[in-house]
Amino acid sequence: MVWFRKPKYTIVTPQAKRAKIPDGLWIRCNDCGELIFKKEWENNLKVCPKCNYHFQLRAKERLEITVDEGTFEEDNKSLAPIDFLKFIDKKPYKERIIENQEKAQLNDAVITGCGYIEKIKTAIAVLDFNFMGGSMGSVMGEKITRLIEKATDLKIPLLIVSSSGGARMQEGIISLFQMSKTVAALELHNKAKLLFISLLTHPTTGGVTASFASIGDIIIAEAKTLIGFAGPRVIEQTIKEKLPYKFQQSEFLLEHGLIDMVVNRKNVKNVLGRFLHFFC
Amino acid sequence: MAIVGSLDFEKPIEEIEDKIAELSKLTQEREIDFSQEIKKLEVKAQEMKKEVFSNLTPWQKVLMARHTGRPSTMDYIRMIFKDFIELCGDRLFKEDKAIVGGIAELDDYKVFIIGHRKGKDTKSNLEYNFGMPHPEGYRKAIRLANLAEKFSKPIITFIDTPGAYPGVGAEERGQGEAIARTLQVFSKIQVPIIVVIIGEGGSGGALAIGIGNRILMLEHAVYSVISPEGCAAILWNDPSKTIEAAKNLSLTANDLVRLKVIDEIIKEPVGGAHRSPEEASCLVKDSIISCLKELQEIPISELALERYQKLRKIGKYLE
Ligand SMILES: [Zn+2]
């Protein structure tokens, strides 16, 4: 639903710079543009050691660094999208689905299941931006709703790690209604006095921001994360002004009272554990 | 008879209507009898209206839904309800005029009304921000929904917005949170909620006040995950693909019945609600009242569950 831009700072022409990167050993930071030794970057959980930019993680990688080893059991893995509107933009949605499934090695943009975080059993959903920009269609809406219902049944806490461009336009109005479906399920979990932690990662916008991501009992954002309802480009076009510095960054949301804390990736698991142990 | 902001496909009809008016005037002024001709033209105009308006393309529906002459939330409040008292403010930041709320009577029912408010001209549109709410509008809706629940009064919402406002202040004050929280509150409120999509149902900004036990939609209204313009810009990178986007999005009342997202289409007078607002309002009123009667039969403690079960079914996927 919303698009966003990545800041690009180029000193030398990208072509020339790219040519200088020895294959596979170095990567370039999306934010500061510095070259990072790939090993160092991986050891640092894909956070730029120079500027603290948090690179996107795949859902699988997120689970690896969040859930106690060997405890995650995935649910509803087989749920897959269908092109029920026969939506064709530049490409048929049907083709986009297959392409993204091959690219992301996932059926859709979310993994759900139960696992232990610092020894506490938790229902966990992780969105994967790599699959059609983490957009929410029927599959994401249904998998998240089923997960919430399971958490309510089992009386366990819930963690949703968001990263999404918003509702999936190719599923039209049905994708819009996944917002109300997931939120209504959350309300039943809430009514049962169970904990919901929302972890916002880069970027979280549109229909995901306007539904489950924004109503966690606790909301945590990773550092340097873009979070908003409308994308910066849309806002700029509407108000015809340059946006303020750090607008819609996690630190900006903290300042405006919209989230509880900004956390560096290496501390996320510890922070989650402390909340789970306090509340559960 | 020409209506302000008339659309291209309405023009041939208006030409005939103008001719009828001219002949009637001549009949009076010169005492020449044109009644035969007038009758013929009237039949022709009626046939033409039926022909044109029963075959509108999705994009034409979008134009109809946005028609400036189309009855707005304020018009329906005036025509359907009596003793409306407006209630203002979110008690937190400010009064947002893009959403109107209040109490009124509908026959024997005492009800709450919450709806998007669009203007009819530039001045009023600026005042109401073109029906695009800020977070405080949604927070007012939450306040009123809670008040309705406290006094066990049904809520009727009217949807007509291009979307929630995309601006700096809206983001600073948590537009996403405000919409999400409204959805949460409307999912749990223990009173009947009836949603009527009267014009433009634009994305999350519309959906926020769109959870209901019954969702009704006017024949020429639209309801979409994104505007066709926005969709064309993002998916095609080409604003000229707007019409194609409208077609792909499945945003008409017929589409929404087929997709089981809405419960009922409210027929509009031939030629659209803007051609006979009074008649349109009677049809809307009848539908609301029959829903209220139905919902009265459901125990109040089961209403939220009923809404959840309706939402729960929405989604299409391979298992
Ligand atoms: Zn960096």
Side-chain angles (χ1 to χ4, degrees):
Chain A
M1 199 149 83
V2 233
W3 245 223
F4 52 88
R5 57 159 191 203
K6 280 185 193 142
K8 280 202 178 86
Y9 308 97
T10 2
I11 308 146
V12 192
T13 62
Q15 221 67 14
K17 272 213 162 181
R18 213 168 289 143
K20 275 198 274 174
I21 305 176
D23 207 30
L25 274 181
W26 300 83
I27 62 133
R28 185 177 300 288
C29 175
N30 291 340
D31 198 10
C32 69
E34 292 288 323
L35 278 181
I36 321 164
F37 190 44
K38 203 171 171 189
K39 264 272 149 52
E40 190 189 359
W41 172 69
E42 275 165 359
N43 288 340
N44 204 29
L45 308 175
K46 299 196 174 172
V47 174
C48 173
K50 307 241 163 71
C51 76
N52 202 33
Y53 176 75
H54 284 51
F55 283 70
Q56 277 170 9
L57 291 184
R58 301 296 314 275
K60 285 221 165 75
E61 295 172 318
R62 174 68 60 181
L63 286 166
E64 271 164 31
I65 65 164
T66 310
V67 184
D68 300 347
E69 208 182 328
T71 64
F72 186 74
E73 283 177 37
E74 188 175 353
D75 294 325
N76 300 303
K77 196 177 176 179
S78 64
L79 250 66
I82 40 172
D83 178 18
F84 54 89
L85 295 180
K86 300 191 171 49
F87 198 106
I88 304 175
D89 47 272
K90 279 181 176 165
K91 236 181 241 173
Y93 179 36
K94 218 175 187 169
E95 277 175 33
R96 283 192 195 277
I97 293 172
I98 294 167
E99 264 179 31
N100 277 274
Q101 285 172 335
E102 279 166 6
K103 182 184 78 168
Q105 291 296 303
L106 289 170
N107 271 334
D108 202 282
V110 68
I111 296 179
T112 59
C114 290
Y116 287 78
I117 298 174
E118 304 285 15
K119 301 193 175 65
I120 302 224
K121 189 175 183 183
T122 308
I124 305 161
V126 184
L127 276 55
D128 196 314
F129 198 82
N130 220 36
F131 191 106
M132 289 187 78
S135 57
M136 175 157 63
S138 295
V139 171
M140 185 185 290
E142 181 65 21
K143 282 175 83 168
I144 287 182
T145 305
R146 286 188 192 179
L147 180 77
I148 299 168
E149 287 175 334
K150 184 175 177 181
T152 310
D153 276 353
L154 298 178
K155 300 187 169 52
I156 58 173
L158 169 72
L159 167 69
I160 303 182
V161 185
S162 293
S163 174
S164 171
R168 187 171 298 167
M169 289 170 276
Q170 289 89 347
E171 294 190 17
I173 193 79
I174 298 288
S175 65
L176 187 71
F177 272 69
Q178 302 311 307
M179 292 166 61
S180 36
K181 184 165 104 178
T182 50
V183 168
L186 267 180
E187 171 49 25
L188 297 176
H189 186 260
N190 176 54
K191 210 173 130 193
K193 297 191 183 337
L194 298 164
L195 176 70
F196 167 38
I197 302 177
S198 173
L199 172 59
L200 311 178
T201 70
H202 185 71
T204 300
T205 58
V208 166
T209 302
S211 60
F212 53 81
S214 292
I215 53 170
D217 297 311
I218 304 291
I219 306 179
I220 305 167
E222 278 194 339
K224 291 202 168 187
T225 294
L226 174 77
I227 305 156
F229 172 64
R233 218 174 67 181
V234 176
I235 298 173
E236 250 173 7
Q237 279 166 6
T238 310
I239 63 170
K240 301 190 171 61
E241 275 170 44
K242 278 267 159 247
L243 296 172
Y245 179 62
K246 289 207 166 171
F247 180 65
Q248 294 183 317
Q249 297 274 305
S250 15
E251 294 74 9
F252 173 95
L253 271 87
L254 182 67
E255 226 171 85
H256 285 92
L258 296 167
I259 57 177
D260 290 289
M261 55 174 67
V262 179
V263 178
N264 282 321
R265 185 169 289 160
K266 63 175 193 297
N267 300 326
V268 167
K269 178 163 180 168
N270 178 265
V271 168
L272 291 174
R274 287 176 63 190
F275 280 125
L276 289 167
H277 279 277
F278 182 89
F279 288 104
C280 307
Chain B
M1 183 63 199
I3 287 166
V4 184
S6 72
L7 307 168
D8 282 347
F9 51 87
E10 292 182 299
K11 297 242 157 81
I13 297 162
E14 282 174 4
E15 275 166 26
I16 298 179
E17 283 174 342
D18 288 346
K19 215 177 228 168
I20 294 171
E22 202 181 308
L23 289 178
S24 317
K25 206 173 141 205
L26 282 176
T27 308
Q28 279 186 354
E29 283 174 0
R30 310 217 178 138
E31 290 180 17
I32 311 170
D33 183 18
F34 285 114
S35 59
Q36 287 297 334
E37 286 82 350
I38 290 176
K39 208 169 248 168
K40 258 190 219 157
L41 284 173
E42 275 171 352
V43 171
K44 197 174 163 199
Q46 196 63 14
E47 274 169 5
M48 214 165 185
K49 274 190 210 166
K50 264 192 198 146
E51 166 77 26
V52 170
F53 290 100
S54 55
N55 292 304
L56 293 178
T57 65
W59 175 244
Q60 287 172 329
K61 292 260 188 191
V62 173
L63 297 175
M64 285 286 276
R66 293 176 183 166
H67 203 298
T68 48
R70 201 172 164 80
S72 65
T73 298
M74 293 314 289
D75 293 321
Y76 288 115
I77 290 177
R78 186 172 43 78
M79 292 186 290
I80 297 178
F81 301 89
K82 61 174 196 277
D83 297 334
F84 175 67
I85 303 176
E86 186 175 354
L87 301 171
C88 296
D90 65 346
R91 305 292 191 268
L92 296 164
F93 183 71
K94 74 186 283 196
E95 158 67 358
D96 184 351
K97 290 187 177 175
I99 287 187
V100 60
I103 53 172
E105 287 182 26
L106 175 62
D107 286 358
D108 297 331
Y109 296 95
K110 291 178 172 171
V111 299
F112 272 68
I113 302 167
I114 299 167
H116 299 104
R117 175 158 49 192
K118 273 186 182 175
K120 295 277 183 197
D121 48 37
T122 311
K123 187 173 164 269
S124 55
N125 262 320
L126 286 173
E127 193 182 349
Y128 307 143
N129 200 34
F130 297 85
M132 292 188 280
H134 280 74
E136 39 278 17
Y138 296 111
R139 289 174 184 140
K140 172 167 69 179
I142 290 173
R143 180 175 81 83
L144 297 183
N146 283 323
L147 191 59
E149 186 183 47
K150 180 173 173 185
F151 293 97
S152 299
K153 301 286 181 266
I155 301 170
I156 294 154
T157 74
F158 291 102
I159 291 187
D160 188 17
T161 178
Y165 186 68
V168 174
E171 294 291 323
E172 286 175 340
R173 299 193 291 280
Q175 188 73 287
E177 194 271 351
I179 293 172
R181 198 66 72 188
T182 316
L183 291 172
Q184 184 187 20
V185 170
F186 275 68
S187 80
K188 71 172 174 186
I189 286 287
Q190 295 197 341
V191 295
I193 304 174
I194 298 167
V195 176
V196 193
I197 301 132
I198 56 171
E200 199 179 4
S203 193
L207 179 76
I209 55 167
I211 294 186
N213 297 88
R214 294 291 179 273
I215 304 180
L216 315 175
M217 183 163 172
L218 265 75
E219 187 186 351
H220 300 309
V222 296
Y223 198 179
S224 178
V225 64
I226 185 169
S227 71
E229 290 90 340
C231 185
I234 294 171
L235 289 184
W236 279 268
N237 228 323
D238 179 358
S240 74
K241 299 289 184 192
T242 297
I243 293 171
E244 209 172 323
K247 191 177 126 235
N248 272 280
L249 282 165
S250 295
L251 43 64
T252 69
N254 281 329
D255 292 326
L256 270 71
V257 163
R258 180 170 50 83
L259 293 167
K260 301 195 171 71
V261 167
I262 60 163
D263 297 292
E264 188 189 317
I265 298 176
I266 303 175
K267 278 269 169 204
E268 293 187 28
V270 179
H274 60 291
R275 289 180 173 271
S276 0
E278 298 290 336
E279 196 186 333
S281 72
C282 286
L283 295 167
V284 171
K285 183 179 174 179
D286 289 348
S287 291
I288 293 174
I289 287 184
S290 74
C291 288
L292 281 171
K293 279 189 186 141
E294 266 174 54
L295 294 172
Q296 246 179 349
E297 304 301 314
I298 303 178
I300 221 156
S301 59
E302 285 171 25
L303 287 164
L305 184 66
E306 202 228 16
R307 286 196 293 275
Y308 183 61
Q309 282 163 345
K310 279 164 67 85
L311 285 173
R312 191 64 195 84
K313 288 186 217 137
I314 301 177
K316 289 182 188 292
Y317 45 83
L318 294 172
E319 185 72 54

